[in-house]
Amino acid sequence: MSTLHGRGRVAGLPEWDRCAVMGVVNVTPDSFSDGGRWFDTNAAVKHGLDLVAQGADLVDVGGESTRPGASRVDAREELRRVVPVVRGLVSEGVTVSVDTMRATVAEQSVEAGAVLVNDVSGGLADPAMVPVVAAAGVPFVVMHWRGFSESMAGRAVYADVVAEVVAELRARVDAAVDGGITPERIVVDPGLGFAKDAEHDLALVAHLAELRTLGHPLLVAASRKRFLGRVLAHGGAAPPPARERDAATAAVSALAAHAGAWAVRVHEVRATADAVRVARAVEGAA
Ligand code: PMM
């Protein structure tokens, strides 16, 4: 892979001299971490612009909750939620990615100006996804995934989580390349919290270097996830709610940036924007 401080670069996207910050705009009524506060189109566009003002380099727009246990939204509703927000942010000059498992949503979002497709299923949920992304010529995030939200908890079974995630991701990357997506446009993501328990997530964060052996830029999305709630539940206390996990999220952002992640995906941008800059400064002083 071509390297920029060892982080790799993604063909077709701007280049940053540090770990990039991807801000999250969930256009859902039931997102587990932000409680659906950005459900209305105008509010969602405004929220995306606020994230950019706070330091987001790109904004990831999604219309389907992947909260554990969540059921699926239909395609028409997902399109209705996502496409106007993508269009609105693109018209303001924002670099937009679309978070979807559906080829139709990816295709129409790219037509509306999205420059990256982020598929949490790594191309598994919709057989039309890889061909559509290949034809569009946009970058593709391949996340580690073992099944839809309704059933993923039962799939969190690993003998060696790091080795298995690397092997399963490699298979998805190979399928994407076989399907016509150029390797320079592929980003990999361990899928923290997807068919994983807290100890699996922590092991993956501890071994990001092994994920980088896949030879693709790495996206890490720890923001507000359950494993951070578990870490913060001191002395038998209940885990703090998702919205109180932002400092912990920024700590993971610093660790991920230091480990060479290409980007981190977060709900609260300000602290992570600082964290990746500190990591860059430390890198420069090494
Ligand atoms: N996690 C969520 C949604 N999209 N995309 C990528 N690439 N990686 C992730 O881990 C990921 C994702 C979970 O939902 P959230 O939007 O509420 O964080």
Side-chain angles (χ1 to χ4, degrees), residues 93-143:
V94 177
T95 302
V96 174
S97 91
V98 59
D99 183 345
T100 185
M101 292 185 269
R102 285 198 172 94
T104 52
V105 178
E107 191 167 37
Q108 293 191 38
S109 295
V110 170
E111 280 167 20
V115 291
L116 173 69
V117 173
N118 172 25
D119 179 358
V120 299
S121 82
L124 281 169
D126 184 343
M129 180 63 94
V130 167
V132 157
V133 173
V138 292
F140 188 50
V141 176
V142 174
M143 198 193 82

Side-chain angles (χ1 to χ4, degrees), residues 22 24-26 31-34 60 64-67 99 118-120 141-143 189-194 219-225 265 267:
M22 177 186 277
V24 178
V25 173
N26 282 326
S31 165
F32 87 94
S33 55
D34 55 27
D60 191 38
E64 176 173 25
S65 173
T66 49
R67 180 172 46 83
D99 183 345
N118 172 25
D119 179 358
V120 299
V141 176
V142 174
M143 198 193 82
D189 180 332
L192 301 175
F194 286 80
L219 174 64
V220 177
S223 189
R224 298 181 174 173
K225 285 190 174 163
R265 178 186 178 278
H267 301 86

Side-chain angles (χ1 to χ4, degrees), residues 170-186:
R170 183 173 287 121
R172 297 317 312 154
V173 168
D174 289 349
V177 172
D178 288 348
I181 300 178
T182 55
E184 295 73 23
R185 288 197 170 87
I186 293 178

